[in-house]
Amino acid sequence: MNRILSIISTSLAWALGILWLFPLLYAIWASIHPSEFVTRFELFAPLTLDNFREAWNQAPFLRYMINTVAITMLILGGQLILCTLAAYALARMEFKGRSLVFALVLMQLMVVPEILIVENYQTLAGLKLIDTYWGVALPYFASAFGIFLLRQTFKTVPEDLENAARVEGCSLLGTIWHIYVPLAKPTYLAFSLVSISYHWNNFLWPLVVTNTEKSRPLTVGMSIFGAPESGVDWAVISAGTLISVGPLLIVFILFQRQFVQSFMQAGIK
Amino acid sequence: MMSDFLSVSNLSRSYGEFHAVNDISFSAKQGEFIALLGPSGCGKSTTLKMIAGLELPTAGKIEINGSDVVNTPPGKRNLSMVFQSYALFPHMSVKENILFGLKARKVQKQERNKRLNEAVEMVDLGPHINKKPGQLSGGQCQRVALARTIVSNAPLCLMDEPLSNLDTKLRAEMRSEIRSLQRKLGLTVVYVTHDQIEAMSMADSIILLNEGRIEQASTPEAFYEHPETPFVAKFIGHPPMNLIAFDDLLVGVRPEHIGLVEQGGLAVSVVECDYQGSETILTTSFKESTIRLSLAGKRVLAPGAAVNIQWVPENEHHFSSSSGQRIERTNSVMNS
Amino acid sequence: MSDSLHLDNYRYLLEDEVLLQVLSNSFWYAAITVPVSIALAIAMALWVNTKLRGVGLLRLAYFTPTVLPMISVANIWLFFYSTEIGLLNNILGYFGADAVNWLGDPDISLYSLMAMTIWKEAGFFMIFYLAALQTISPDLYHAAALENASRWTIFKRITFPLLMPTTLFVLVNAILNAFKLVDHLFILTKGGPNNSSNLLLYYIFENAFSFFDTAYASALTVLLLIILVFLALLQFGVLEKRVHYR
């Protein structure tokens, strides 16, 4: 009885696993075979890279990719600097209204920038940052998630370590850099992976704030890639999709363990 | 007469209504070893942190080597500090830990290495300098913390309960090691502890704090032989001094100064007899007071037995039971 | 912002029938995707937490949708759903069933969106449960094994109650995600047909950037903020509870 249950349970687990991987597996199938095999599954169908060539020529993927990398890095850099300083202040400095500021940060965990597309668009238009990397990046710099995560980590650093550093003649910024940052390394890694995968995939805000190839990231590029309604070639679409998810997917598969652990760690806090 | 190297005057620190440190003054000469002693919450650590600059006083003055340092940041006070937790940076090797302060102060590399080698030799850390603190024993961590002090070349060293995380045997070893290091380097040390043995055995002078105030400041000998208040009398010595009420007097006698006699003295009854190897602690009751005796060797006395006890008048301390102040000896209660 | 304070916009909120439809869609969207994703997430976490062979691969499979951009994968899903050559209808045809207009039928389009949302979210929530499961002491299971408790009893009496704080936490996050995850609408349905699959955030986008009615979009944003602040307060309550559990 228990044995049968075990088998059923294991089969269900794998069935679900295959179902979950299916869109990706399918995209790979469709992209490496000629169009007529999009709905015909033959094990020995001829292989081809034409679809990738076609997709690559249909849209400026290289430009999109450069934009995505630049935007993701700009956001991550801004977040790391701002969140570190804010988290330190909220964890270790005493000032009036600290708990109010912290409550506002927590509130922002809920009210993510996507919700405020209309207002943020107006603000950035006022700053003349529409269709620039900075325009895409700016609303995400003060990440409430990053501040919260780092504050929790900084609070676990023994205060005596900071005292020792200060007695030894280290400045405030020096203390943050030499003591707090190295001790929070796992948190930085976790936050960075979460942030990179979030912004690599982010769509709505970049769609609103970019107008041209100059700043458009991969996701926005993909949304205007081909016009699926007008009987477009699914094999080419699949190839384009794989090109757009490829870099992140490769990084993910290589660092699978760290990714999962990072998301877990970020989730527990 | 040599001028004071460290001088603390009218220092106070309060948190709202609570006075952690309440108007205390003391000073230390160059090369002097001062112990700040007291029960937990007496303000000794707060005082140390104020000297270090890690905590700001609400009032008072701190002078190091003749200059007022109240507004000087910790790193510029030219002092070193050893923490109860050792405060070793867990992500750095022993070597990096020792050199941290010198790098922060931008000391030349050659000079850094010279000082490192001297310090490592002095505290015997040679084989461990590339290890991380997590790989060291408690005693070794303690040595790294001391090495940090040595390389700093700072004339003043503050120690905050540095031995409380070590086991008894190691503690005794480190006591003499710290003391000899201090003498060799001519350091002025302010040493915070709650352990009377550390204070008595290491310090040139002891400052006993109680509820933010100085209860007594004097040499270890004076603490034992001449306690100023009943609090001091009870704090120093093990088991603590007996305080017996006689009319408006509190009479203090140390357990080790009381003996059993065949007749005369004080008639008391045995409550408990506690054999501890080299001595036996005898608890007796006299009227409403409890009197403990420390007797050499093994003694067996049944609870309830009536015995007579006696001490020599010179070992008697008198305190006014109303003001709590010491009264120079009047008549011994033994004679009355 | 100043013109959005104009009361007319708020009065229009009350009369806007599309809004009513959108709110109802958003409600059902959350009410169905959230519990299904959570149930799947718990099952996935339990499977992945065992010592089965190939668990690493299984975990990778479940988690992959989390790191894929929704907008790109929506293109693949669009092909699955497409009426003539779509994969789903091909499969239905194989079994002799009639083709379904997955995205074009107003009664079905919202459910088609939900399926993709669940696919995207379940693996993400699995991670939180996996983290929680790994903190449960094995002693509890040993004790239960001594009592000869059945698997279902163990789950009901031990695992599920211990996962409760995680569930509350995931619940609020899932509801929040249900309000902000609209990327796939841009590819799959564009809110249609006839607003049958329109969601609040997409409706805000439409008003601001397709109909250029910034003022009304701002009023809608305020409405969304009120909903989120309410959820935020709920989460503070939940977090408070989490503290008590520990």
Side-chain angles (χ1 to χ4, degrees), chain B residues 307-327:
Chain B
V307 291
N308 288 17
I309 59 172
Q310 198 173 40
W311 55 81
V312 290
E314 287 72 38
N315 288 328
E316 216 170 82
H317 307 264
H318 291 190
F319 305 96
S320 153
S321 51
S322 51
S323 71
Q325 284 308 303
R326 183 181 180 89
I327 301 166

Side-chain angles (χ1 to χ4, degrees), chain A residues 191-204:
Chain A
F191 174 72
S192 300
L193 289 180
V194 173
S195 169
I196 288 171
S197 58
Y198 185 91
H199 291 289
W200 190 281
N201 298 340
N202 200 15
F203 169 68
L204 187 56

Side-chain angles (χ1 to χ4, degrees), chain C residues 6-244:
Chain C
H6 219 271
L7 282 178
D8 282 352
N9 286 308
Y10 290 95
R11 197 163 308 134
Y12 185 57
L13 276 180
L14 300 174
E15 296 160 4
D16 183 3
E17 278 178 25
V18 177
L19 176 62
L20 213 62
Q21 165 99 52
V22 165
L23 285 177
S24 146
N25 287 345
S26 291
F27 172 78
W28 285 112
Y29 181 75
I32 292 176
T33 59
V34 171
V36 174
S37 311
I38 288 181
L40 278 174
I42 294 177
M44 288 170 168
L46 288 172
W47 279 323
V48 167
N49 199 39
T50 55
K51 296 209 160 51
L52 287 177
R53 278 207 358 223
V55 148
L57 190 66
L58 202 57
R59 190 179 58 186
L60 180 72
Y62 293 154
F63 190 63
T64 300
T66 302
V67 292
L68 295 179
M70 196 135 184
I71 199 78
S72 301
V73 192
N75 279 312
I76 313 288
W77 280 76
L78 182 63
F79 169 71
F80 292 169
Y81 283 144
S82 99
T83 331
E84 277 102 46
I85 58 159
L87 197 73
L88 284 176
N89 280 347
N90 260 330
I91 294 171
L92 284 181
Y94 185 80
F95 290 108
D98 288 337
V100 174
N101 193 350
W102 298 98
L103 299 173
D105 184 335
D107 292 333
I108 297 178
S109 58
L110 189 59
Y111 295 99
S112 302
L113 285 181
M114 288 179 191
M116 184 177 171
T117 307
I118 291 165
W119 171 80
K120 171 82 179 165
E121 297 270 275
F124 178 54
F125 297 145
M126 170 195 76
I127 295 294
F128 298 103
Y129 282 109
L130 197 52
L133 281 177
Q134 291 180 351
T135 64
I136 297 178
S137 155
D139 286 349
L140 290 175
Y141 293 109
H142 296 158
L146 289 177
E147 305 279 323
N148 205 18
S150 75
R151 279 194 196 196
W152 174 243
T153 313
I154 290 175
F155 177 75
K156 208 173 63 173
R157 296 264 176 239
I158 300 175
T159 314
F160 191 70
L162 286 172
L163 291 179
M164 212 50 208
T166 313
T167 302
L168 292 172
F169 172 76
V170 168
L171 186 68
V172 178
N173 275 288
I175 297 174
L176 174 67
N177 273 358
F179 277 99
K180 69 175 206 205
L181 207 63
V182 296
D183 292 3
H184 50 335
L185 267 70
F186 286 85
I187 300 285
L188 294 181
T189 66
K190 297 199 162 45
N194 202 12
N195 291 311
S196 62
S197 67
N198 206 344
L199 299 174
L200 187 49
L201 186 54
Y202 190 83
Y203 189 50
I204 291 175
F205 173 85
E206 273 189 323
N207 272 288
F209 301 103
S210 302
F211 314 147
F212 299 105
D213 188 350
T214 311
Y216 187 54
S218 295
L220 288 170
T221 304
V222 171
L223 179 67
L224 181 53
L225 281 178
I226 291 170
I227 296 173
L228 290 178
V229 166
F230 174 74
L231 288 173
L233 293 176
L234 200 69
Q235 175 162 37
F236 283 139
V238 167
L239 282 177
E240 205 104 308
K241 271 223 184 72
R242 283 223 307 167
V243 175
H244 288 306

